């Protein structure tokens, strides 16, 4: 359910911002805020204001313009500058790194595998973790 002031467009990343009548409501996700970076998936149709629509939370989204990404197999992250947009460059601190999926092929009618992960602070360095316990924030 879209309860924002604008249509959520096909291909935009969204997060759950509330609920209404046993349904989650969603808004455009953005990696500059801990609340808006918790991406649940990609809208797979335009979702007008006060209407329900489809969001892919895990799986392949087809006919996505992947020509802007630098190559096949690249990890796709939530943008910290444009709400709902994906990028193949991880945002830097103080933004959050929210992995949304993988670019399957680089073309104007491409496909992405959607599999969002919980966002981490942009300065989280997993390679510095030398023990078996996960880092804390």
């Amino acid at each position: 359910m879209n309860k924002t002031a604008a249509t959520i467009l096909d291909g935009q990343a969204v997060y759950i911002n509330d609920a209404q009548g046993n349904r989650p409501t969603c808004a455009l996700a953005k990696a500059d805020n801990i609340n808006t970076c918790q991406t649940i998936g990609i809208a797979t149709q335009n979702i007008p204001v006060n209407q329900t629509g489809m969001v892919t939370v895990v799986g392949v989204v087809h006919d996505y313009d992947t020509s802007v990404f630098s190559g096949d197999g690249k990890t796709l992250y939530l943008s910290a500058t444009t709400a709902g947009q994906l990028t193949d460059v991880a945002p830097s601190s103080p933004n959050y790194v929210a992995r949304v999926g993988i670019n399957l092929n680089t073309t104007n009618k491409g496909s992405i595998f959607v599999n969002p992960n919980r966002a981490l602070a942009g300065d989280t360095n997993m390679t510095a973790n030398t023990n078996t316990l996960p880092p804390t924030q």
Side-chain angles (χ1 to χ4, degrees), residues 1-4 8 13-17 25-30 36:
M1 171 76 66
N2 177 7
K3 299 301 279 185
T4 67
I8 295 171
V14 296
Y15 75 101
I16 295 174
N17 66 340
T25 62
C26 61
L28 295 180
K30 192 173 175 195
T36 64

Side-chain angles (χ1 to χ4, degrees), residues 5 7 10-11 15 27-29 60 62 74-75 84 93 96 103-104 123 128:
T7 296
D10 183 11
Y15 75 101
L28 295 180
V60 178
H62 301 281
K74 294 289 186 177
T75 299
S93 185
Y96 296 87
N103 177 32
L104 298 180
D123 58 357

Side-chain angles (χ1 to χ4, degrees), residues 102-125:
I102 304 290
N103 177 32
L104 298 180
N105 55 340
T106 306
T107 178
N108 63 347
K109 291 272 188 184
S111 298
I112 61 173
F113 177 68
V114 178
N115 186 20
N117 282 1
R118 191 97 171 132
L120 297 172
D123 58 357
T124 300
N125 184 353

Side-chain angles (χ1 to χ4, degrees), residues 12-131:
Q12 292 185 306
V14 296
Y15 75 101
I16 295 174
N17 66 340
D18 206 349
Q20 176 184 322
N22 296 326
R23 292 186 181 146
T25 62
C26 61
L28 295 180
K30 192 173 175 195
D32 65 341
N33 181 289
I34 190 64
N35 296 312
T36 64
C37 72
Q38 304 304 331
T39 308
I40 61 153
I42 304 293
T44 50
Q45 66 182 107
N46 291 342
I47 308 172
V49 176
N50 294 321
Q51 299 294 314
T52 59
M54 301 299 290
V55 173
T56 297
V57 295
V58 175
V60 178
V61 173
H62 301 281
D63 296 329
Y64 192 100
D65 184 3
T66 58
S67 64
V68 297
F69 305 130
S70 61
D72 298 353
K74 294 289 186 177
T75 299
L76 300 178
Y77 303 94
L78 182 62
S79 171
T81 56
T82 305
Q85 186 175 347
L86 302 181
T87 177
D88 60 359
V89 177
S92 57
S93 185
N95 299 302
Y96 296 87
V97 178
R99 187 180 73 83
V100 179
I102 304 290
N103 177 32
L104 298 180
N105 55 340
T106 306
T107 178
N108 63 347
K109 291 272 188 184
S111 298
I112 61 173
F113 177 68
V114 178
N115 186 20
N117 282 1
R118 191 97 171 132
L120 297 172
D123 58 357
T124 300
N125 184 353
M126 298 300 283
T127 59
N129 185 24
T130 57
N131 61 30

